[in-house]
Amino acid sequence: MDQGRLQPALLGGLVIGVLSALPLVSAGNCCCCLWIVAGGMLAVYLRQQNSPYGVDASEGALVGLLAGLFGGIIGVLLSIPLDMMLGPVQRRLMERVIMSNPDISGDARDMLQRFASPGALVMKLIFGVITGAVFGMLGGLLGVAVFKKNGPPPAPGRVDILPPE
């Protein structure tokens, strides 16, 4: 994988993962996956800064997709210690919700109790990676449109050798 893509994708994924794992801040993802789209846009912005030419839509989609994948994994890894600290509080809250609402069906009770199980971590990882990939890619495409660099694209088939920085 190209080093020019990897670093921006990792930084965008770090933003996605950290903001998605924090308890109150993660509520921003309820608004059209805000942090995931923002991380994809950040990855494209950083990629754009490292490139002498404008980043095209396919490059932006790829960098955003990678940022979303990294963000999904980082978010789940960061949420493990947070869930360990806040897990007992969340379980007590769920128990109070179940006890205060006798009209909740047995299926809904089972679902709420399984929400805190270890299997939920695997489901969270799968959901986080898929959601991160899709919305990170959309953020990457949006980043290409917002951070468009003016200038001629490279000629087809031409390879530029840039001096090391």
Side-chain angles (χ1 to χ4, degrees):
M1 179 175 298
D2 183 18
Q3 182 67 22
R5 292 181 187 139
L6 188 60
Q7 186 177 11
L10 281 172
L11 290 172
L14 186 64
V15 167
I16 292 169
V18 169
L19 294 178
S20 296
L22 294 174
L24 295 176
V25 178
S26 67
N29 274 337
C30 292
C31 179
C32 300
C33 295
L34 176 67
W35 304 133
I36 301 172
V37 172
M41 288 180 70
L42 174 67
V44 168
Y45 174 76
L46 294 173
R47 175 70 175 133
Q48 183 84 7
Q49 297 304 312
N50 295 333
S51 174
Y53 304 110
V55 174
D56 63 349
S58 63
E59 180 76 12
L62 179 63
V63 172
L65 175 98
L66 291 172
L69 290 174
F70 291 141
I73 294 168
I74 291 169
V76 170
L77 292 177
L78 290 177
S79 71
I80 291 171
L82 290 171
D83 288 347
M84 290 173 65
M85 289 187 303
L86 300 175
V89 174
Q90 290 175 341
R91 276 192 288 281
R92 283 193 300 247
L93 181 64
M94 288 296 176
E95 289 171 2
R96 286 183 187 162
V97 168
I98 290 171
M99 296 305 230
S100 66
N101 294 319
D103 297 335
I104 294 179
S105 69
D107 293 335
R109 286 177 198 257
D110 291 341
M111 185 184 72
L112 288 173
Q113 290 170 347
R114 275 187 269 134
F115 183 68
S117 71
L121 182 65
V122 174
M123 290 305 294
K124 194 175 189 181
L125 177 65
I126 292 169
F127 183 74
V129 168
I130 291 171
T131 305
V134 170
F135 283 95
M137 183 171 50
L138 291 174
L141 290 171
L142 186 60
V144 169
V146 171
F147 303 120
K148 189 170 197 97
K149 186 183 258 187
N150 293 330
R158 189 175 114 192
V159 176
D160 285 336
I161 299 174
L162 299 176
E165 293 178 15

